[in-house]
Amino acid sequence: MDIKTTILENSLELFLQRGCKAVTMDDVAKENGISKRTLYELFTDKSDLLEQCIGYLHCHMMQYSAKMEEDSQNLLELLFKIHETQSDVIINLKRNFFMELKRYYYPIYKKTVEKFTVYHREKTAEYLRQGQKEGLVIEDINIDLVTKIIIEISNIIEDSEVFPLKEHSRKDLFREVVILYFRGISTLKGIELIDKYIQINK
């Protein structure tokens, strides 16, 4: 791993743990054991570093998704695996990070949301078509419309003002919101698999 990638990885961890406003370039230099001069040779300023950290996060997400796709036998198994990797602690860190990003670095936040939304829209549509080929998702649905609904459901359940984690765990939201919706667009074969995975993951 080269020095820039190491800095991005360590800095992203700092931003997630402490918040993007609190972390300074001094903190980043100290965490990585480098001088500020070296840091500024690689990144113009904190905003540049923050934006590149988010780009690094996005690449990591794509690689991780690809690995889970390889390890899953079907769409519904993939859905449950994605859920299993998202603990309440991780979700809370991401929520706080993006809330701060929106408040203090809105241009970066706006660009990030647009980029992530395009990616999620494309992947969700791809997964739905995969589910149809596997006989798990009903054929008679509007893929574009269902994709938008699923993305909005994801946005809502990750909204801390609507669903505070102290009141609603990730597991509860997944079972009561995500799974119920997927049951509605699943074939009988898909519903049977959902029930099977629910029993396994109790």
Side-chain angles (χ1 to χ4, degrees):
M1 188 182 295
D2 61 35
I3 184 170
K4 186 170 185 178
T5 303
T6 300
I7 292 170
L8 289 173
E9 189 170 286
N10 292 338
S11 301
L12 178 60
E13 185 70 20
L14 278 178
F15 286 133
L16 288 172
Q17 293 288 345
R18 301 186 196 174
C20 53
K21 184 175 186 295
V23 174
T24 66
M25 294 298 267
D26 284 317
D27 295 329
V28 173
K30 183 178 180 181
E31 179 71 19
N32 288 280
I34 59 173
S35 67
K36 284 182 68 177
R37 178 179 177 179
T38 300
L39 184 60
Y40 279 108
E41 286 174 353
L42 295 169
F43 306 96
T44 307
D45 52 24
K46 182 179 170 182
S47 293
D48 180 36
L49 172 62
L50 185 57
E51 191 165 358
Q52 290 197 48
C53 280
I54 294 170
Y56 177 81
L57 173 63
H58 188 245
C59 288
H60 181 73
M61 284 172 54
M62 289 191 293
Q63 292 169 358
Y64 194 70
S65 294
K67 179 66 169 61
M68 284 197 293
E69 289 167 17
E70 289 179 10
D71 295 341
S72 301
Q73 295 182 4
N74 57 67
L75 167 67
L76 295 173
E77 182 179 344
L78 175 62
L79 180 67
F80 277 84
K81 281 187 176 180
I82 291 172
H83 161 66
E84 289 169 8
T85 62
Q86 298 293 306
S87 69
D88 286 349
V89 174
I90 293 173
I91 292 297
N92 201 39
L93 282 175
K94 288 182 179 178
R95 280 180 176 177
N96 293 338
F97 173 75
F98 281 104
M99 283 174 64
E100 278 207 357
L101 191 67
K102 182 178 182 179
R103 183 174 181 181
Y104 299 109
Y105 297 89
Y106 186 76
I108 297 176
Y109 170 81
K110 186 173 183 292
K111 187 186 296 185
T112 299
V113 169
E114 290 171 353
K115 184 177 182 179
F116 278 38
T117 299
V118 169
Y119 172 73
H120 287 145
R121 186 184 300 127
E122 291 174 350
K123 293 304 291 185
T124 301
E126 177 187 321
Y127 291 155
L128 288 170
R129 292 189 181 95
Q130 174 190 334
Q132 288 178 326
K133 290 179 181 178
E134 294 167 343
L136 303 176
V137 174
I138 57 179
E139 291 288 339
D140 189 22
I141 60 171
N142 183 323
I143 293 288
D144 290 338
L145 178 58
V146 172
T147 294
K148 289 178 182 178
I149 292 171
I150 291 172
I151 289 173
E152 287 307 312
I153 288 173
S154 298
N155 291 338
I156 289 172
I157 65 176
E158 291 186 7
D159 188 330
S160 58
E161 293 184 2
V162 179
F163 294 113
L165 280 176
K166 291 181 180 179
E167 299 176 17
H168 308 282
S169 71
R170 173 77 179 183
K171 184 176 181 179
D172 290 340
L173 292 171
F174 181 73
R175 183 180 62 246
E176 303 297 341
V177 182
V178 179
I179 289 303
L180 282 180
Y181 184 78
F182 266 88
R183 284 181 70 92
I185 61 170
S186 294
T187 61
L188 180 59
K189 177 183 175 182
I191 292 172
E192 289 173 350
L193 264 181
I194 287 174
D195 291 340
K196 173 186 173 183
Y197 291 136
I198 288 174
Q199 290 299 317
I200 293 173
N201 288 276
K202 270 188 174 180

